[in-house]
Amino acid sequence: MRKKIIAGNWKMNMTPSQAVALCAELKDLVKNDDVDVVYCVPAIDIVPVVNALKGTNVKVGAENMYFEEKGAYTGEISAAMLKDAGVEYVIIGHSERRDYFKEDDALLNKKVKKAIEAGLTPILCCGETLEQREMGITMDWIRMQIKSDLAGVAAADVAKLVIAYEPIWAIGTGKTATTAQAEEVCGGIRACIAEIYDKATADAVRIQYGGSVNAGNAAELFAEKDIDGGLVGGASLKADFGKIVCYNK
Ligand code: PGA
């Protein structure tokens, strides 16, 4: 039985002091031992958030990292730095990074490998544009992303990672994929993992849905057999996040 994992993606929101205040506000609302809860926060918020969440059930994630060990990469943050600061998860390949910062699958593959090597759990994002969906190539596109981003990654490591299916047209738009659409692709991703690796790996990997998840649609989405939780943007910055985390209460 896979444990659900519900992660907030704060994106470029919350100054360090706002971040600490939000952690205090949500503290009692996000208690749910049935699920893993993660806040993926801007790099500058990591240290204060790790401190603010000490003794709680919430883990901390980063929103990005670089694949090189260390050195002359001005402005970048390494996996070792994240690990040392108390980070456990890292979002890799969010569509905003792919789009605005031109991150491609070859780069993301290096990031996935480095994160795993450093002992971080990647939350690997994939998803199609509206145009691709309308052309009927959603699953082809996502299979290509998954296969290239995981090239050379061992089954044992894939079993432990998190994949987030985020249809780009549903991110920040208030337009959620229907439960059936979300389940269809999450199931397709699991089938793809079974094909590249094996059934045990596919049964173990956790697959989230992301894209306008809110307190009203979370329970229905998370009830699907292949949806193991959510990656939540906008609603993770509000008290509503507590309702999403406690979707089963
Ligand atoms: P949203 O963002 O929940 O605001 O749609 C999701 C995401 O980009 O991870």
Side-chain angles (χ1 to χ4, degrees), residues 47-62:
V47 171
V49 166
V50 165
N51 288 329
L53 295 176
K54 281 215 171 96
T56 75
N57 58 315
V58 183
K59 310 282 191 225
V60 179

Side-chain angles (χ1 to χ4, degrees), residues 9 11 91 94-96 125 166 170-174 210-213 231-236:
N9 172 13
K11 308 194 179 187
I91 298 176
H94 189 280
S95 61
E96 287 149 18
C125 300
E166 298 207 306
I171 296 176
T173 56
S212 301
V213 173
L231 183 57
V232 185
S236 70

Side-chain angles (χ1 to χ4, degrees), residues 63-175:
E63 297 177 13
N64 183 30
M65 52 158 265
Y66 198 51
F67 69 86
E68 291 286 1
E69 186 65 34
K70 62 176 177 178
Y73 305 100
T74 303
E76 290 297 327
I77 291 180
S78 73
M81 291 170 186
L82 295 177
K83 185 75 184 167
D84 186 68
V87 166
E88 294 183 45
Y89 294 85
V90 58
I91 298 176
I92 293 180
H94 189 280
S95 61
E96 287 149 18
R97 302 241 26 116
R98 292 177 187 259
D99 186 9
Y100 305 140
F101 304 98
K102 304 291 170 249
E103 296 196 0
D104 63 18
D105 292 301
L107 172 70
L108 298 174
N109 179 240
K110 289 182 186 160
K111 291 190 179 195
V112 168
K113 287 178 175 159
K114 191 65 189 185
I116 292 169
E117 185 194 312
L120 298 167
T121 300
I123 300 179
L124 173 65
C125 300
C126 59
E128 82 288 5
T129 62
L130 188 55
E131 219 181 349
Q132 289 166 331
R133 174 162 284 271
E134 285 169 351
M135 285 193 307
I137 58 166
T138 296
M139 225 35 246
D140 303 290
W141 176 255
I142 289 170
R143 285 167 59 87
M144 188 279 296
Q145 289 184 317
I146 296 290
K147 284 190 174 180
S148 16
D149 298 346
L150 295 182
V153 180
D157 292 323
V158 173
K160 288 182 276 180
L161 67 76
V162 178
I163 297 175
Y165 165 53
E166 298 207 306
I168 295 169
W169 48 272
I171 296 176
T173 56
K175 200 170 162 187

Side-chain angles (χ1 to χ4, degrees), residues 1 25 30 34 72 74 79 89 92 96 102 109 121 133-134 151 160 170 177 179 185 187 189 199 214 217 229 235 244:
M1 211 30 214
E25 186 192 334
V30 295
D34 302 337
T74 303
Y89 294 85
I92 293 180
E96 287 149 18
K102 304 291 170 249
N109 179 240
T121 300
R133 174 162 284 271
E134 285 169 351
K160 288 182 276 180
T179 302
V185 179
I189 293 170
K199 189 171 179 304
N214 60 46
N217 59 25
I244 297 172

